[in-house]
Amino acid sequence: MRNLLNFLIRFNNLIIFLILEGVAFYLLATRNTYHNTRMVNEVRGITQGIGEKINKTRNYLSLRDINQGLAAENVAMRNSIERLVRRENSLFFSVADSVYRQQYSHTSAEVVENSVNRQKNFFTINKGRLQGIRIDMAVTAFNGAAGVIVGCSDNYSVAMSLLNLDFRLSVRIKSNGYFGSLSWDGRDYRYAVLGEIPQHINVNVGDTIETTGYSAIFPEGLMVGTVRDYEKRGGDFYKIRVSLLTDFKKLHFVDVIGNLEKSEKVELEKQFK
Amino acid sequence: MINSILRFGLLFIILILLQVLLFNNIQFSGYVNPYVYLMFIILLPVEIPSWILLLLSFATGLVVDLFSGSPGMHCSATLLAGFVRPYILAVVSPRDGYEGRSEPSMINYGFRWFLTYTLLIVLVHHTALFYLEVFRFTDFFRTLLRVLLSSLFTVIFIMFIEFYRKGR
């Protein structure tokens, strides 16, 4: 007994250190199930206020850029409306046509917290469960892929940014349709890496990279970026560097896209797995 | 005693605010994130009991974690820094020991001493922090580069703040 006490007294610092480090690692380990940790959500509520203040200031300073972006988006939308209207007029529809069935829901939101300088970046948006945001919805900014919702509270949601080592996105080269997997290598917030494209395929600098829609999170044909350069490495695959369309350092207004038919697709696929 | 608790409380608040409002928003090219809040651990009195030092390091890390939304990361790294601090102090101890002047600051022990001491603690902290952040050993050397560059900037900022404190 005395030996035990002596031992405890002699190594009390080490013991305190190990216990606290254990707590820290527990917190660290549960971070991956980000949305499940109530604590994070609760505490975020408190720190959110400060984050929002910082963000407001930053928003104010970059109003000019935001305006330009919104104007550009307006033009693009007007164009697409134009196209749609013309198609509607020139084609014959029956009333029950499935073309009218809505597959994707759009919600616009504002980014209130963001980072690009970590290896696993997340950002927070100011819409949550009450506004219809759910886990696994896609986030886009000015029609480029930006991230995926991983956690919601009532009025806020946290999204895993494309700039996260754990992020994978199924994309294809628009010109020839070959698909691969896009991920971030943690180096530069402007570029991501496209893998799994075999070397017998022609790749050109400037090729458009777009989403495939295979994952049922991102809609098909959403632009992600363009090929910046590529190299043939020892294996069978290219290593393609993609300049991202989305500028993550200026992420302010985003569009959250939910796939209304996702559960149907996932259920069906589950039967064959 | 009360006086020094107030002083360190104030230092704590200032450093956390600096970190959260200013340094967490500095984003040089994805490689450099200075973490000046570590200065709180660096400046605590030499004779502070180790268990208080450990608890304070843990708390500091936790607060920074809460503000940057990364539970556990800063916590474990800062705790490690607090744990090794007594050993580092022993290694770099000046010729006539630490008697009389309890605060390990530049004004007490000089520029060279403070630089070595700060550098050692910052390196321990940043190494733990950045490897915990990526949580893998692929890209080992790139993470090492991030550790070294960020340490450099953290040390520069800490020396800068310390100069300012000295001037006051």
Side-chain angles (χ1 to χ4, degrees):
Chain A
M1 194 60 200
R2 180 177 295 167
N3 278 341
L4 181 65
L5 280 178
N6 280 339
F7 177 80
L8 286 181
I9 290 167
R10 194 163 139 62
F11 288 103
N12 67 340
N13 287 328
L14 188 62
I15 290 166
I16 294 174
F17 170 68
L18 289 179
I19 291 174
L20 290 180
E21 197 70 273
V23 174
F25 271 104
Y26 173 73
L27 290 175
L28 193 67
T30 48
R31 176 171 57 146
N32 289 335
T33 55
Y34 205 79
H35 37 290
N36 293 339
T37 38
R38 275 292 289 282
M39 193 197 86
V40 172
N41 275 342
E42 300 294 319
V43 171
R44 285 222 138 187
I46 304 169
T47 56
Q48 209 87 64
I50 298 177
E52 231 162 294
K53 284 260 155 54
I54 297 175
N55 188 59
K56 263 187 194 149
T57 319
R58 204 182 290 149
N59 260 359
Y60 183 75
L61 294 176
S62 53
L63 270 182
R64 178 190 290 270
D65 283 343
I66 294 176
N67 276 340
Q68 274 170 358
L70 288 176
E73 204 183 358
N74 268 343
V75 170
M77 279 183 178
R78 234 174 251 141
N79 283 334
S80 66
I81 288 173
E82 199 68 28
R83 275 197 298 277
L84 286 175
V85 167
R86 191 167 306 154
R87 196 200 295 166
E88 207 169 304
N89 290 342
S90 61
L91 289 179
F92 174 75
F93 283 111
S94 73
V95 178
D97 198 311
S98 62
V99 168
Y100 285 116
R101 198 181 54 185
Q102 184 181 5
Q103 193 190 345
Y104 293 101
S105 68
H106 292 253
T107 316
S108 78
E110 199 178 329
V111 177
V112 291
E113 219 181 302
N114 186 18
S115 70
V116 299
N117 56 346
R118 302 193 202 146
Q119 295 292 291
K120 298 186 177 174
N121 294 301
F122 292 89
F123 57 87
T124 311
I125 60 175
N126 66 351
K127 296 257 169 87
R129 224 177 281 128
L130 294 181
Q131 287 83 29
I133 308 290
R134 297 285 180 275
I135 286 166
D136 275 352
M137 284 185 166
V139 184
T140 64
F142 294 135
N143 293 322
V148 171
I149 303 285
V150 291
C152 307
S153 63
D154 279 351
N155 293 305
Y156 290 99
S157 302
V158 174
M160 183 191 278
S161 166
L162 201 151
L163 306 182
N164 188 313
L165 295 182
D166 298 329
F167 191 91
R168 294 280 177 284
L169 181 62
S170 170
V171 296
R172 67 181 171 213
I173 301 173
K174 193 175 184 182
S175 57
N176 54 29
Y178 280 95
F179 70 91
S181 156
L182 186 88
S183 59
W184 189 51
D185 58 357
R187 280 160 210 258
D188 193 319
Y189 70 94
R190 289 171 299 178
Y191 308 113
V193 176
L194 171 58
E196 296 167 29
I197 298 288
Q199 290 193 353
H200 62 82
I201 292 169
N202 268 335
V203 177
N204 299 312
V205 171
D207 275 358
T208 303
I209 306 293
E210 60 177 18
T211 54
T212 56
Y214 292 169
S215 65
I217 292 177
F218 281 93
E220 189 185 343
L222 197 71
M223 187 166 165
V224 176
T226 52
V227 174
R228 180 179 160 87
D229 52 30
Y230 56 90
E231 53 179 297
K232 290 185 176 183
R233 296 241 284 209
D236 300 328
F237 298 115
Y238 284 116
K239 188 183 174 217
I240 301 176
R241 208 145 65 107
V242 177
S243 342
L244 296 168
L245 180 67
T246 311
D247 188 347
F248 283 88
K249 246 184 175 165
K250 293 199 297 197
L251 211 55
H252 288 303
F253 291 100
V254 292
D255 189 10
V256 184
I257 303 178
N259 186 347
L260 302 174
E261 289 170 5
K262 177 169 191 280
S263 58
E264 184 185 330
K265 177 169 180 281
V266 171
E267 282 300 309
L268 179 64
E269 284 170 349
K270 217 183 262 170
Q271 295 171 20
F272 300 95
K273 269 175 188 164
Chain B
M1 183 66 188
I2 299 291
N3 190 9
S4 77
I5 286 178
L6 277 179
R7 234 158 53 83
F8 280 104
L10 191 67
L11 182 69
F12 180 79
I13 293 172
I14 291 177
L15 283 177
I16 295 287
L17 284 181
L18 266 182
Q19 181 65 46
V20 175
L21 298 178
L22 186 63
F23 289 103
N24 275 358
N25 293 305
I26 292 185
Q27 297 169 350
F28 303 117
S29 76
Y31 277 92
V32 177
N33 320 138
Y35 291 108
V36 294
Y37 71 89
L38 197 60
M39 198 176 176
F40 179 68
I41 306 301
I42 291 174
L43 287 181
L44 285 171
V46 176
E47 74 278 5
I48 192 171
S50 304
W51 64 275
I52 297 185
L53 179 62
L54 286 175
L55 286 179
L56 282 178
S57 328
F58 186 77
T60 313
L62 197 62
V63 171
V64 175
D65 271 338
L66 293 183
F67 279 105
S68 43
S70 56
M73 219 171 69
H74 291 282
C75 229
S76 45
T78 317
L79 187 62
L80 183 68
F83 182 69
V84 299
R85 197 188 94 135
Y87 303 104
I88 290 178
L89 276 175
V91 169
V92 298
S93 86
R95 205 175 302 138
D96 47 351
Y98 292 105
E99 278 148 47
R101 297 162 297 181
S102 81
E103 192 178 278
S105 59
M106 199 189 303
I107 201 160
N108 282 342
Y109 295 102
F111 178 81
R112 284 272 300 272
W113 181 87
F114 189 76
L115 183 64
T116 328
Y117 166 65
T118 306
L119 190 64
L120 286 175
I121 289 194
V122 168
L123 276 178
V124 169
H125 174 266
H126 281 30
T127 309
L129 186 71
F130 283 97
Y131 280 103
L132 276 177
E133 188 189 18
V134 289
F135 221 72
R136 62 186 77 174
F137 282 110
T138 54
D139 278 341
F140 180 87
F141 290 102
R142 199 170 61 82
T143 311
L144 192 65
L145 182 66
R146 296 183 69 214
V147 169
L148 295 179
L149 280 178
S150 293
S151 302
L152 181 72
F153 274 80
T154 306
V155 169
I156 288 175
F157 281 119
I158 288 183
M159 296 312 273
F160 189 75
I161 297 173
E162 182 64 13
F163 262 118
Y164 175 73
R165 265 167 37 93
K166 197 179 173 184
R168 205 178 38 158

